Amino acid sequence: MRDERREAATAAFLDATPAIYRRDISVHPKAAAWSDQTDQAPASLFLTGPIGVGKTHTAWCSARRWLGTHIDRTGRKPRIETWRSTALFDALRSDSHDWDVRALTRQLQQADLLYIDDLAAARVSPTGWTQERLYEIFDERYINRRPCLVTCDVLPGATGNIVGDRVQSRLREMFRGGVLLLEGDDRRAGEAA
């Protein structure tokens, strides 16, 4: 029964995954350990490195693997929230007409796993209002030890201008031991050459 639930949940997650990231790839052993939630693995994972090295693809594969592991351990289907940072920051704006910001904040606080892709992608730093919502989200996840998966091309300690100093402080602790630097060339540049 649990195997059927795991297969159904991972298939549904795969269907919701952007097409380019559906193909399984070999993930770094540290990302695999995080996905499998071994005793040595950190609760949260921060994937960093230059643009184009596979952070997002690694994150989608790791989240899918995390989902299967979580179902095996708990017997229930966890709720994973996946967001591009630019879409998340827009949704959290005080003048957002597409979202109930308070309900979205609660939803992100309570998800079993929060995956934010490309945290430093926004060209304009979030407003004070948005940074306050980010604080509410990350503080709640921090105090309740709910895992996060983040991709970013800067380290957690260099995110203050993006998320604010209070969130940055929490990120440093949440991702202590869980920062994975992916290195290599921009794989997209190789395909276009």
Side-chain angles (χ1 to χ4, degrees):
M1 180 73 131
R2 192 172 285 185
D3 289 343
E4 291 170 0
R5 274 187 285 196
R6 182 182 63 249
E7 288 176 21
T10 55
F13 186 79
L14 186 61
D15 286 344
T17 300
I20 198 168
Y21 304 120
R22 290 182 185 164
R23 180 178 51 86
D24 277 328
I25 59 170
S26 177
V27 297
H28 189 282
K30 189 171 185 175
W34 172 82
S35 299
D36 296 341
Q37 292 295 291
T38 64
D39 291 338
Q40 296 81 23
S44 295
L45 183 64
F46 193 97
L47 298 168
T48 189
I51 294 170
V53 296
K55 297 180 297 291
T56 299
H57 204 148
T58 298
W60 279 103
C61 288
S62 297
R64 189 166 58 245
R65 186 169 170 163
W66 181 93
L67 173 68
T69 299
H70 193 82
I71 290 171
D72 284 344
R73 290 200 174 167
T74 65
R76 67 175 184 80
K77 179 184 174 188
R79 190 166 51 85
I80 300 175
E81 287 285 336
T82 61
W83 286 83
R84 281 191 193 106
S85 64
T86 51
L88 177 60
F89 295 168
D90 281 347
L92 294 175
R93 290 171 39 144
S94 60
D95 60 351
S96 177
H97 299 291
D98 297 329
W99 293 93
D100 174 343
V101 177
R102 295 290 181 192
L104 176 60
T105 298
R106 281 189 302 280
Q107 182 179 319
L108 298 175
Q109 289 172 328
Q110 296 170 359
D112 293 295
L113 175 64
L114 175 58
Y115 165 32
I116 300 175
D117 187 46
D118 217 352
L119 185 62
R123 291 179 198 220
V124 178
S125 294
T127 64
W129 167 271
T130 302
Q131 285 185 347
E132 287 174 13
R133 301 301 69 76
L134 289 170
Y135 171 76
E136 288 180 12
I137 293 164
F138 280 105
D139 188 58
E140 182 71 21
R141 297 191 71 77
Y142 167 76
I143 63 176
N144 287 297
R145 301 294 188 226
R146 291 190 178 106
C148 295
L149 173 60
V150 173
T151 67
C152 191
D153 56 0
V154 300
L155 293 170
T159 60
N161 65 324
I162 302 161
V163 297
D165 293 337
R166 290 178 188 278
V167 172
Q168 177 183 271
S169 175
R170 282 152 180 81
L171 292 179
R172 279 192 200 117
E173 185 171 338
M174 289 172 75
F175 294 107
R176 184 175 294 135
V179 176
L180 174 55
L181 172 62
L182 298 178
E183 299 179 289
D185 296 325
D186 184 339
R187 296 179 309 166
R188 295 179 199 106
E191 294 172 3

